[in-house]
Each structure stands twice: as C-alpha cells, then as structure tokens.
Amino acid sequence: MRPAGTCRIDQLRQTRRPLSPVGNSCSADQQLAGPGQSHQPGIFGRLLDVHVDGKSHTVLTRDIQFHPVTDNIMHMDFLRVSASAKVAVAVAVEFINEDDCPGLKIGGVLNVVRYEVELLCPATDIPEKITVDLDGLKIGDSVHISTIELPEGVTPTITDRDFTVATIASPGGGVKNEDDDSAEGATD
C-alpha cells in the first residue's frame, strides 16, 4: 500500500482547486467556476471549453460536488459533446405578463407545475430559458408544453403526453372569472 498523497490525484486535491474529469484525465490548471458561478441558474446548460493535456474539449457540466461545510467545489463531472450532438438539458421556465393575466388580476394563483423542462437540444444551441406568456389566461386555464413556442430543433424529452407546465388556479375562496360573472348576470 502506498502512502497517502503520493498519487497524482491526491496531489491535485491538495491544490484545493476543483478537479475536472474529461475522459480519463484530470486537470487543475484553470479556474473552472468563480465564486458563486456554480450556483447560478443554467450552469448545467452552458457549454464550457476545458483544456486537458493541451487539448480543448467542449463540455457540459453534469454534476458538481460541494464541500459540506465550506461550500467550495470539490469535484465536477462533464459530458464531452460535439457540435452535431443532441443533448437532454433541463431548461428554466420564465413566466411573463403576469400583470396582464385576467385570472391573476381577480385573485387567482399561478400554480407552477414545472420550474424546469427537460428538452432535447442541439449542443451548440441550448436555450437559456423558455418563456411562457400569461397574457389572456383565466382561472382554470392550463399551460401545456404544446402551447409553448420552442426554438427550432428543440423538442421536449417527454413525447408520450402533452404535460402541464402551469395552471391558473382559484385561491380557494370561490373566485370566478369576470366573464363567468357577466354570463350569470345576463341569465338572471
């Protein structure tokens, strides 16, 4: 048994910089993520160029392991990708026009079912986020993946059903849409 600290990997760990396996190599030659960058949304959907043994590799971050006390990066896993590859990536969902949503104006609640949607994208064209427009939605309306405009070449990984991304729900107090109120008034 050899003494601790004599292996190349042990020597790299002692530098206190994150290790970056790409293939069978490890490199601590460059700062992979600055303070706070690894906690930013979208880090797993961003292409990085990692240099190992004098060669540049285009990679996606697949996993980050943090020290339990200091929160420093201890280890990162990467997926090497080519320009023609398609990759499955979780992409954040952004909701816009909440002020123009009739269902929210009268007290409805935006019930977000999926904050991220897993999409199959070209490796060189990964969207930073997908945008859902809430303009015109009423209480009881649902936003399904089929109603969201996705960039060209991007498809959801779930293809067997039209899944729900968000709904406009009643807050529980029996709030009705304005159209429902006017329709009831006309029949009285």
Side-chain angles (χ1 to χ4, degrees):
M1 189 169 180
R2 77 177 162 241
T6 59
C7 178
R8 168 105 170 105
I9 197 81
D10 290 336
Q11 293 168 355
L12 287 172
R13 280 191 182 112
Q14 290 173 358
T15 65
R16 299 191 188 277
R17 296 181 84 182
L19 301 178
S20 58
V22 178
N24 295 325
S25 302
C26 289
S27 171
D29 297 336
Q30 63 177 345
Q31 185 73 22
L32 296 174
Q37 287 181 339
S38 58
H39 290 295
Q40 291 179 353
I43 186 73
F44 294 103
R46 205 171 295 141
L47 287 177
L48 303 171
D49 286 324
V50 176
H51 302 280
V52 178
D53 297 331
K55 295 180 184 175
S56 179
H57 301 277
T58 303
V59 298
L60 277 172
T61 306
R62 280 300 181 206
D63 188 35
I64 302 174
Q65 296 173 5
F66 296 95
H67 189 277
V69 176
T70 64
D71 208 27
N72 291 334
I73 298 172
M74 292 178 55
H75 179 81
M76 297 177 79
D77 287 331
F78 297 105
L79 173 66
R80 189 178 324 173
V81 295
S82 67
S84 62
K86 283 202 158 209
V87 293
V89 180
V91 177
V93 179
E94 176 188 46
F95 298 92
I96 60 169
N97 292 329
E98 292 178 17
D99 295 337
D100 298 330
C101 178
L104 296 178
K105 280 183 180 178
I106 61 169
V109 178
L110 176 62
N111 176 29
V112 179
V113 178
R114 295 178 184 261
Y115 290 93
E116 293 182 331
V117 175
E118 190 169 286
L119 301 173
L120 192 60
C121 316
T124 57
D125 196 21
I126 299 171
E128 184 177 319
K129 61 188 172 194
I130 57 173
T131 305
V132 175
D133 189 358
L134 299 176
D135 187 22
L137 294 181
K138 301 176 185 172
I139 290 178
D141 287 347
S142 298
V143 177
H144 295 278
I145 191 65
S146 62
T147 62
I148 300 172
E149 189 174 325
L150 298 174
E152 188 176 331
V154 175
T155 58
T157 57
I158 299 173
T159 57
D160 60 340
R161 63 187 184 280
D162 189 17
F163 59 88
T164 303
V165 177
T167 62
I168 305 295
S170 173
V175 176
K176 297 179 182 177
N177 287 313
E178 291 172 358
D179 294 345
D180 296 343
D181 290 339
S182 62
E184 284 180 13
T187 59
D188 288 340

